[in-house]
Amino acid sequence: MTDQKLRAVVTGASSGIGAATVRQLRALNWDVVAVARREDKLKALAEETGATYIVADMTSDDDVTRMAEEVRAQGPVHSLVANAGFALGTDEVKDANVDDWKKMFDINVLGVVRAVKALLPALVDSGRGDICIMSSTAGHIAYEGGGGYVAAKHGTTSVAETLRLELAGQPVRVMEIAPGMVATDEFSLKRLGSQEAADKVYEGVERPLTAEDVADAVVYTLTRPHHFNVDLMVIRLIAQAAQHKVARNSGL
């Protein structure tokens, strides 16, 4: 570990994995800029952790440009945690809601691209930059009823893999975290539209991964010596042997 004061930008920081990542990095005395759309959530997180925050929508070119300008004006940037993303619906391809597919592609793929374009010069200038991209096991394995999200997260993975090739020789690591089932307050609720439907996803599943578990994986990658790159970390709960195989206990 370096004695240099490190500074990270975390997108999608208002809840779930993003908020947990902010908390864990602040506990290690990193300077952290939390970025998301919801100012009330960001303000509460900043008051709790001592992070700073910027309200920005990662699907807006103007917002991302403004965010990056504010971040760079306040000091060096060593790490971008490109976490903002979501899933919508469970349509089969033949019934695809094309507007939902566009929204998922815009945040999960283009949102990452916007953030990288805006902050990459600062990451290079830092001399030890990190880009940690939040993908999913859906970015590596397709499944029925998940076509839009699967397609978007495959795009996320492709961005990470392409960046790693393009940045070879630059002082910037590119890391991808691909979680399986993670029980957070909002992901399945937003995807499925009701708490009842969201609860069924984890019904009978012993100890799903939490936002804190995934944040721990992010922090692990960021805190390795800078010659040590975690290209891809796939994490699943022990009950999830594969994308389609999840042990469920009917008595739980």
Side-chain angles (χ1 to χ4, degrees):
M1 287 291 293
T2 177
D3 293 331
Q4 182 183 18
K5 183 76 167 180
L6 297 175
R7 186 163 179 251
V9 175
V10 180
T11 69
S14 59
S15 64
I17 294 167
T21 299
V22 172
R23 292 185 180 100
Q24 292 190 26
L25 288 174
R26 285 296 300 141
L28 294 175
N29 202 35
W30 283 49
D31 286 337
V32 182
V33 182
V35 179
R37 293 173 301 164
R38 295 178 292 181
E39 185 169 13
D40 58 335
K41 298 278 190 180
L42 289 175
K43 184 177 180 180
L45 182 65
E47 291 173 351
E48 173 196 341
T49 64
T52 59
Y53 72 87
I54 296 173
V55 178
D57 183 343
M58 302 311 293
T59 67
S60 165
D61 293 345
D62 290 344
D63 273 19
V64 174
T65 298
R66 172 182 53 79
M67 176 273 293
E69 289 173 351
E70 289 184 33
V71 167
R72 289 187 304 227
Q74 295 165 6
V77 185
H78 302 95
S79 296
L80 165 64
V81 181
N83 169 73
F86 57 74
L88 292 172
T90 58
D91 301 339
E92 293 188 0
V93 174
K94 65 181 177 61
D95 301 316
N97 182 321
V98 174
D99 286 340
D100 283 354
W101 282 50
K102 288 179 180 177
K103 291 174 184 175
M104 285 186 281
F105 191 85
D106 201 6
I107 187 64
N108 290 293
V109 183
L110 300 183
V112 173
V113 172
R114 291 184 186 99
V116 170
K117 284 187 64 177
L119 291 172
L120 183 57
L123 294 169
V124 172
D125 288 346
S126 78
R128 48 94 63 236
D130 293 328
I131 299 170
C132 184
I133 293 175
M134 189 59 60
S135 177
S136 167
T137 52
H140 297 266
I141 303 172
Y143 60 91
E144 306 94 320
Y149 185 60
V150 166
K153 283 302 187 184
H154 271 69
T156 308
T157 292
S158 294
V159 170
E161 292 176 347
T162 304
L163 265 176
R164 194 175 300 114
L165 296 171
E166 292 175 346
L167 294 178
Q170 296 287 342
V172 179
R173 299 183 294 188
V174 179
M175 299 161 287
E176 177 189 353
I177 308 295
M181 295 176 70
V182 184
T184 61
D185 291 340
E186 296 187 354
F187 181 84
S188 291
L189 177 61
K190 183 177 292 185
R191 181 177 196 175
L192 302 175
S194 76
Q195 192 61 55
E196 181 181 6
D199 290 343
K200 285 187 179 297
V201 173
Y202 309 103
E203 193 170 63
V205 178
E206 186 175 1
R207 296 189 66 185
L209 292 178
T210 65
E212 289 71 25
D213 291 328
V214 183
D216 187 53
V218 172
V219 171
Y220 175 84
T221 68
L222 297 182
T223 54
R224 296 312 88 204
H226 205 255
H227 71 284
F228 181 142
N229 191 80
V230 179
D231 283 11
L232 169 64
M233 185 186 292
V234 178
I235 54 176
R236 293 187 176 98
L237 64 153
I238 193 172
Q240 188 179 21
Q243 196 78 345
H244 287 78
K245 187 173 180 64
V246 181
R248 297 179 187 269
N249 185 336
S250 60
L252 289 178

